[in-house]
């Protein structure tokens, strides 16, 4: 419920501060007095984008503040999700700075316009001519039916499921595309992988094979040199081994004659041992070296394969070939196992689709169940508003596609007169008829769900005095369970209000200001009389005004 509204430095309003209570509040005033300014200020505090031209004094900031009682609105979860302090008496403030920037606050916490607008939609429903035109929109018609059918929670679940379904469908499409592309490359990848798997890929393999190749390719020279080395060491006459043995014996005889001799002897002993090791290793190498053309050919083939693979894949290191092999293994594995992944995803989607179909069926059943009652109530209300022949044709047809709100298509047609063909609301209903239909819809909705504060902006435009009297009565009855505002030019509607405010202009120091005040009983009589007969009050206008109030 809107409890207070404060507007500073906005359009023709210098400073306005007004309080409201529950029930039916009417707002009247001459054309141009500033009723639209009041709505504009309220729209800003509810999240509408600001304009620097809104500032009355361009050097000062504009501040609009509205206080709401929200205990019955079930908005705690919204405040938690938005990281805001929940207060049953919530204050919304909007500031427009001279620089053109604007700021918004909920309970003194800064918020962006998206959050402010979302909260505003849950607090006040401002009915304007633009909203009347929405009656012809299929989305708005569904909103009405789903509101009456209590489908809100089901539609939230459906929206999440549909989002998941679309996401997983995209994943499946990507898997199918991957399969299609990988099948094209599969044979080639298998060929490349086979080549790499046939090669002895390991770190340092090329250096190892190149060394082996050099040895095998020069085996005769190696054998010759090993033979010479063996002869140099083991020759009986001048062989190094015999000479070192003799040297060892000589040094052994000197070892006892001093430290310097014993140290030198130890060194000769080391040379003797090392020489014997060398001799043994030479014998071993000489015995192990042999001409092996087959092995040479095999080593050469391996080297050539590695060189060719490096050139083919444009790499310089075997480690890069190993990486490529692992990548090819992964691609081949994906191709060979993708059918399993596709099957798993298809089964997952089947489960989601079944869940969606179940939800659609529940939503559709509840819609179809409420339509006869909606039709009955709308036609009854319109009958009381001077449209006794008004008839609606509302049909639900189920499609095969998942739409944003289920699988239903809605046919919402209207005929205002007997014998007239049914047609779309926007095509067959006049402006006055659309206003009455909108009021009827709001009146029916008010019985089924807790609507926010409703503000009707001249919904009675284009209707006669007697019909406006009935419209005022409907709004008054609606106010038994919710807060209703009506901006009106008709005294019949104005007289039904529990509270009556007047918007007017006054000049101070040659400057025009828009003001707003709550009228007393006597002031209401005068205001209604002026609405009935103009500024020159007649006794009959006064009497008529009193009669309307009574």
């Amino acid at each position: 419920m809107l409890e207070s509204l404060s507007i500073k430095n906005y359009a023709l309003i210098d400073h306005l501060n007004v309080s409201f209570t529950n029930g039916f509040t009417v707002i009247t005033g001459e054309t141009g007095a500033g009723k639209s300014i009041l709505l504009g200020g309220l729209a800003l505090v509810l999240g509408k984008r600001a304009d620097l031209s809104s500032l009355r004094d361009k050097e000062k900031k504009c501040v609009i503040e509205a206080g709401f009682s929200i205990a019955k609105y079930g908005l705690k979860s919204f405040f938690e999700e938005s990281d805001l302090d929940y207060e049953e008496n919530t204050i919304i403030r909007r500031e427009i700075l001279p620089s053109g920037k604007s700021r918004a606050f909920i309970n003194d916490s800064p918020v962006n316009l998206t959050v402010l607008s979302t909260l505003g939609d849950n607090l006040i429903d401002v009915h304007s001519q633009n909203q009347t035109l929405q009656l012809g929109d299929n989305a708005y018609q569904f909103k009405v039916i789903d509101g009456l059918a209590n489908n809100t929670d089901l539609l939230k679940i459906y929206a999440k499921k549909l989002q998941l379904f679309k996401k997983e469908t995209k994943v499946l499409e990507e898997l199918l595309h991957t399969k299609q592309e990988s099948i094209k490359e599969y044979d080639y990848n298998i060929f490349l992988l086979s080549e790499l798997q046939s090669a002895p890929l390991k770190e340092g393999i090329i250096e190892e094979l190149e060394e082996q190749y050099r040895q095998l390719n020069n085996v005769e020279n190696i054998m010759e040199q090993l033979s010479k080395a063996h002869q140099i060491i083991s020759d009986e006459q001048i062989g190094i081994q015999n000479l070192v043995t003799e040297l060892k014996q000589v040094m052994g005889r000197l070892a006892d004659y001093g430290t310097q001799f014993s140290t030198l002897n130890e060194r000769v002993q080391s040379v003797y041992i090392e020489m014997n090791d060398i001799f043994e290793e030479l014998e071993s190498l000489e015995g192990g070296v042999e001409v092996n053309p087959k092995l040479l050919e095999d080593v050469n083939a391996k080297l050539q394969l590695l060189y060719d693979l490096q050139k083919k894949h444009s790499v310089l290191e075997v480690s890069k070939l190993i990486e490529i092999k692992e990548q090819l293994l992964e691609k081949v594995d994906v191709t060979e196992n993708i059918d399993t992944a596709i099957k798993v995803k298809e089964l997952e989607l089947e489960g989601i689709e079944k869940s969606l179909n179940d939800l659609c069926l529940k939503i559709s059943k509840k819609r179809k169940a409420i339509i006869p009652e909606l039709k009955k109530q709308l036609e009854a209300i319109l009958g009381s508003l001077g449209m006794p022949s008004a008839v609606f044709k509302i049909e639900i047809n189920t499609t095969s596609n998942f739409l944003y709100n289920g699988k239903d298509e809605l046919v919402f047609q209207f005929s205002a007169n007997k014998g007239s063909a049914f047609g779309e609301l926007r095509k067959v209903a006049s402006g006055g008829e659309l206003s009455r239909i909108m009021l009827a819809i709001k009146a029916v909705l008010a019985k089924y769900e807790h609507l926010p504060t409703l503000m009707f902006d001249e919904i009675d435009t284009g209707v006669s005095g007697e019909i406006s009297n009935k419209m005022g009565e409907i709004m008054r009855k609606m106010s038994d369970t919710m807060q209703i505002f009506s901006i009106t030019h008709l005294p019949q509607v104005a007289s039904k209000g529990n509270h009556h405010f007047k918007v007017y202009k006054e000049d101070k120091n040659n400057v025009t200001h828009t003001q707003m005040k709550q009228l007393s009983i006597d002031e209401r009589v005068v205001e209604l009389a002026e609405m009935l007969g103009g500024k020159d009050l007649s006794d009959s206008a006064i009497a008529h005004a009193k009669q309307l109030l009574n």
Side-chain angles (χ1 to χ4, degrees):
M1 182 179 77
L2 177 63
E3 293 184 323
S4 63
L5 181 64
S6 172
I7 301 176
K8 295 179 182 178
N9 195 38
Y10 176 73
L12 295 179
I13 298 175
D14 183 39
H15 186 191
L16 178 67
N17 198 351
V18 61
S19 298
F20 303 106
T21 58
N22 56 7
F24 184 24
T25 298
V26 294
I27 300 173
T28 61
E30 294 179 0
T31 300
K35 297 186 294 297
S36 60
I37 295 174
L38 183 70
L39 282 177
L42 188 60
L44 282 175
V45 85
L46 295 175
K48 181 184 175 183
R49 294 206 168 270
D51 186 344
L52 191 58
S53 63
S54 305
L55 274 64
R56 178 179 177 86
D57 184 339
K58 306 298 182 185
E59 302 299 319
K60 299 178 181 178
K61 69 179 178 180
C62 165
V63 181
I64 304 172
E65 191 171 276
F68 293 88
S69 174
I70 63 171
K72 298 179 180 179
Y73 285 26
L75 292 172
K76 282 186 179 180
S77 59
F78 170 81
F79 276 75
E80 289 172 2
E81 290 168 6
S82 304
D83 196 23
L84 295 169
D85 293 331
Y86 176 79
E87 300 287 347
E88 290 189 354
N89 293 310
T90 284
I91 303 295
I92 300 177
R93 187 171 79 256
R94 186 80 182 277
E95 298 179 357
I96 306 168
L97 307 179
S99 63
K101 293 182 179 179
S102 77
R103 300 183 297 187
F105 304 85
I106 298 175
N107 293 330
D108 286 329
S109 295
V111 295
N112 59 40
L113 287 189
T114 301
V115 173
L116 184 63
S117 179
T118 303
L119 178 59
D121 289 341
N122 286 282
L123 298 177
I124 294 188
D125 179 3
V126 179
H127 169 82
S128 61
Q129 186 65 27
N130 181 55
Q131 194 184 39
T132 299
L133 295 176
Q134 286 180 356
L135 277 173
D137 292 340
N138 205 240
Y140 185 80
Q141 293 163 359
F142 264 121
K143 185 178 178 181
V144 172
I145 290 172
D146 286 322
L148 269 60
N150 195 26
N151 270 335
T152 304
D153 291 340
L154 284 175
L155 286 168
K156 285 180 181 177
I157 297 170
Y158 172 82
K160 289 182 179 179
K161 283 279 184 186
L162 182 61
Q163 185 179 22
L164 177 64
F165 182 73
K166 289 179 177 179
K167 177 185 173 184
E168 297 305 322
T169 299
K170 188 174 180 181
V171 172
L172 177 61
E173 289 171 354
E174 289 171 353
L175 282 172
L176 291 169
H177 178 72
T178 300
K179 178 183 178 180
Q180 187 177 8
E181 292 300 314
S182 62
I183 286 174
K184 295 177 185 176
E185 301 173 358
Y186 179 72
D187 290 339
Y188 184 56
N189 287 338
I190 283 286
F191 170 73
L192 292 177
L193 180 61
S194 177
E195 276 188 331
L196 290 168
Q197 287 177 328
S198 68
L201 299 181
K202 67 176 182 178
E203 293 286 348
I205 185 64
I206 287 183
E207 292 79 5
E208 183 182 321
L209 288 171
E210 284 176 341
E211 181 180 303
Q212 191 176 5
Y213 177 80
R214 284 195 301 273
Q215 291 178 6
L216 289 167
N217 197 41
N218 294 280
V219 67
E220 293 178 354
N221 185 39
I222 291 171
M223 291 174 68
E224 181 183 344
Q225 299 306 317
L226 285 173
S227 176
K228 284 183 179 180
H230 186 272
Q231 185 178 358
I232 290 171
I233 291 175
S234 61
D235 187 272
E236 291 183 2
Q237 300 298 322
I238 58 170
I240 293 174
Q241 192 174 34
N242 289 334
L243 292 173
V244 171
T245 300
E246 187 177 346
L247 177 63
K248 172 178 169 292
Q249 293 170 350
V250 172
M251 292 308 300
R253 299 187 193 107
L254 292 172
D256 294 334
Y257 297 121
T259 304
Q260 67 270 40
F261 296 113
S262 63
T263 301
L264 193 58
N265 179 55
E266 289 174 1
R267 292 172 65 188
V268 170
Q269 290 290 338
S270 296
V271 170
Y272 176 78
I273 294 170
E274 182 67 19
M275 185 55 63
N276 280 334
D277 286 345
I278 291 172
F279 179 71
E280 289 175 3
E281 191 166 343
L282 276 172
E283 283 191 325
S284 175
L285 287 172
E286 194 175 7
V289 175
E290 62 177 346
V291 177
N292 191 339
K294 186 177 183 308
L295 181 58
L296 175 63
E297 185 180 346
D298 183 53
V299 170
N300 184 54
K302 288 179 180 179
L303 272 174
Q304 201 57 50
L305 174 60
L306 289 168
Y307 293 151
D308 290 345
L309 287 172
Q310 284 181 318
K311 184 177 180 181
K312 185 172 189 173
H313 293 281
S314 303
V315 297
L316 298 175
E317 299 173 4
V318 172
S319 61
K320 297 296 182 183
L321 289 176
I322 294 172
E323 287 180 15
I324 293 169
K325 184 179 79 170
E326 295 300 323
Q327 291 169 2
L328 286 168
L329 273 169
E330 186 176 341
K331 288 181 180 179
V332 169
D333 183 64
V334 167
T335 304
E336 291 176 346
N337 293 286
I338 199 166
D339 284 335
T340 302
I342 289 171
K343 186 64 178 175
V344 169
K345 188 57 63 179
E346 285 175 341
L347 289 171
E348 185 180 346
L349 276 169
E350 283 177 16
I352 299 172
E353 186 174 9
K354 183 180 183 305
S355 180
L356 279 172
N357 279 318
D358 291 343
L359 284 167
C360 288
L361 185 60
K362 291 177 183 177
I363 291 168
S364 187
K365 281 183 176 179
K366 294 180 77 173
R367 284 170 176 166
K368 291 175 181 176
I370 201 66
I371 284 175
E373 184 61 24
L374 170 63
K375 187 174 179 296
K376 176 184 174 182
Q377 291 194 42
L378 286 179
E379 290 170 359
I381 294 171
L382 290 177
S384 69
L385 293 176
M387 299 172 66
S389 299
V391 181
F392 288 91
K393 184 168 81 170
I394 306 172
E395 297 175 352
I396 295 288
N397 299 314
T398 302
T399 69
S400 58
N401 300 321
F402 290 121
L403 308 174
Y404 77 96
N405 63 349
K407 297 179 78 170
D408 292 336
E409 287 183 345
L410 176 63
V411 177
F412 200 108
Q413 293 184 319
F414 175 73
S415 172
N417 304 296
K418 288 182 178 180
S420 297
F422 283 98
E424 295 179 22
L425 277 171
R426 70 180 75 188
K427 294 182 179 179
V428 299
S430 66
E433 288 170 340
L434 283 173
S435 293
R436 281 176 273 180
I437 293 169
M438 177 59 85
L439 178 60
I441 285 174
K442 296 290 187 184
V444 173
L445 277 172
K447 298 177 184 179
Y448 287 83
E449 58 180 14
H450 189 80
L451 296 177
T453 293
L454 279 177
M455 182 169 286
F456 294 107
D457 181 18
E458 299 184 1
I459 195 171
D460 45 30
T461 299
V463 299
S464 65
E466 179 57 29
I467 300 304
S468 63
N469 189 58
K470 295 285 181 65
M471 292 180 80
E473 186 61 28
I474 289 173
M475 285 185 268
R476 189 196 64 74
K477 286 182 179 178
M478 289 173 68
S479 72
D480 289 341
T481 56
M482 61 188 300
Q483 187 183 38
I484 300 288
F485 287 86
S486 178
I487 297 174
T488 181
H489 285 293
L490 297 178
Q492 291 85 352
V493 174
S495 67
K496 297 292 188 294
N498 304 116
H499 321 285
H500 190 156
F501 287 82
K502 180 176 181 178
V503 178
Y504 61 97
K505 287 180 180 178
E506 65 177 6
D507 295 332
K508 291 181 180 178
N509 301 322
N510 294 320
V511 178
T512 301
H513 300 264
T514 288
Q515 299 286 357
M516 181 177 180
K517 69 174 183 177
Q518 185 168 4
L519 301 182
S520 65
I521 293 295
D522 291 340
E523 288 172 329
R524 288 189 74 179
V525 171
V526 172
E527 176 69 7
L528 292 175
E530 289 182 352
M531 294 172 75
L532 286 164
K535 290 290 185 182
D536 297 327
L537 299 178
S538 63
D539 291 340
S540 61
I542 293 290
H544 191 183
K546 289 180 179 180
Q547 184 181 10
L548 285 175
L549 280 175
N550 290 331

